[in-house]
Amino acid sequence: MKYLASIINYIFELQIRFVEYLGLLKDIFLGGNRYMYIINGLAFSIGTTLLAGLIGVILGIFIALMELSHFYPLKNKKGWEKFNPISSLAFAYVDLIRGTPAVVQLMILANLIFVGALRDTPILVIAGLSFGINSGAYVAEIIRAGIEGLDKGQMEAARALGMPYGVAMKEIIIPQAVKKILPALVSEFITLLKETSIVGFIGGVDLLRSANIITSQTYRGVEPLLAVGLIYLILTAVFTKFMRGIEKGLKVSD
Amino acid sequence: MIKVANLYKNFGKLEVLKNISAEIHKGDIVAIIGPSGSGKSTFLRCLNRLEEPTAGHIYVKGADLMAPGTDINKIREKVGMVFQHFNLFPHKTVLENLTLSPMKLKGYSQVDANKKAMALLDKVGLREKADAYPNQLSGGQKQRIAIARALAMEPEVMLFDEPTSALDPEMIKEVLDVMRGLAKEGMTMLIVTHEMGFARSVANRLFFMDRGDILEDTTPAELFDNPKHERTKEFLEKVLNK
């Protein structure tokens, strides 16, 4: 009997604590319309990711095609037969970008290049450009691996039928490569979304930064962080689900 | 039809083909035999420039394959090729495999291309597989489709690069039968093969290649019954278990 009373008491207390905590959460996120920081931060993160993703994919395709090119201007000169300036340039780009931290690239772009007359460029544009340039290198490697990973016989069969290189690429190689590339590309896009959280280094107010702002106003460190973490998780989960659906649709012929 | 003059092919320092000259006439059925590494496949692949010859000349219907102005794609349309590993396009149905090039390269309409493709599928006995994807087919079926795909471009010569080497034994016959039918129709064919019985019964000429050279160019009967070179004898003894 005595025990039961203390258990009921305890549950009662828990309930009070819980309601109190809800009030606290309400105060953290709704007081002073602080949730707007998160919404604006979310918009900034998504905007930067989309811009960077677009630049990354376009750049990645170009760099991959450069890597795969067969351009040997000095093939008649001894020792230089295998010299391909276009692919060398592309590989140098990939090595440079992959070999340095994204945050360093971001800060160089913001603090050394976008200065003077370019000073008023929106941070979202600088960030999108920086992450796009960064992502382009990774996307290029994904595309190159996808194309090189295809059976060499596919290109040979297409060429043997009389297809010019461009037609063979468009009809035979790229449709097969896209299927192989897609999962890796999805990973890259998710990485990109999360990586934009370093944009605070150049003063951009993204999701993570919005959590910091709320912390500084409310002295609560855990809840804002958990909240943005949850938002990142939901974003990537929705995106992943969507892309798995597309992958399934592409698998008809397998 | 095809004339090869002083053909050389090196892979780096390795000389794979050494000064090969040969002439193939319309209607010829040439079986190319020889030990592995003798350059048979490389020779065949030079004929449509899937391999870039190091030196020499190849003429297909008078056109010089090595001349800078030659449109190699136009020549490849006339030279069909069948590969050891089929190389069907896995993302397209059987029918699409057959209609793609005629539509893209020869300006066939969908209707005409389909009609032609169905006729070819009849010919290789696989009409009911028109809407299947290649991975739903057996090896023998894949190779018959690959032959039909090459024929869809209405080639004047067919190159076969070990067409039955990747097949299970019970599927070899169905592919050889299709090839036999082609031979009867008078198609000019070059066949790299290890099927000695087939070479003997179908080919009118036999090339024996060894170490990058055509050692013998003669009739099958002559080569099998009366080989001139010591190396030919050795090879035949090995493959025929004599």
Side-chain angles (χ1 to χ4, degrees), chain A residues 160, chain B residues 1-5 7 9 17 20-24 30 32 39-53 57-61 63-66 72 75-81 157-160 188-192 207 209 214:
Chain B
M1 189 65 112
I2 296 180
K3 192 171 171 226
V4 179
L7 178 66
K9 171 71 188 175
L17 299 177
I20 287 189
S21 296
E23 195 157 353
I24 288 105
V30 182
I32 304 168
K40 308 180 296 279
S41 287
T42 307
F43 171 63
L44 199 72
R45 289 159 58 84
C46 280
L47 298 183
N48 63 355
R49 246 178 70 190
L50 278 187
E51 296 294 350
E52 203 68 41
H57 286 276
I58 298 167
Y59 304 89
V60 175
K61 295 194 75 186
D64 185 353
L65 249 62
M66 311 302 292
I72 185 67
I75 293 175
R76 283 173 176 158
E77 289 181 14
K78 296 197 182 77
V79 183
M81 186 159 203
V157 188
M158 287 281 283
L159 310 177
F160 292 86
T188 310
M189 296 158 73
L190 280 91
I191 308 158
V192 172
F207 289 180
M209 285 187 73
I214 297 178

Side-chain angles (χ1 to χ4, degrees), chain B residues 82-101:
Chain B
V82 174
F83 299 86
Q84 179 177 356
H85 296 289
F86 331 124
N87 300 346
L88 292 178
F89 305 136
H91 60 304
K92 298 200 174 284
T93 64
V94 164
L95 190 67
E96 287 165 349
N97 264 277
L98 265 63
T99 55
L100 178 67
S101 330

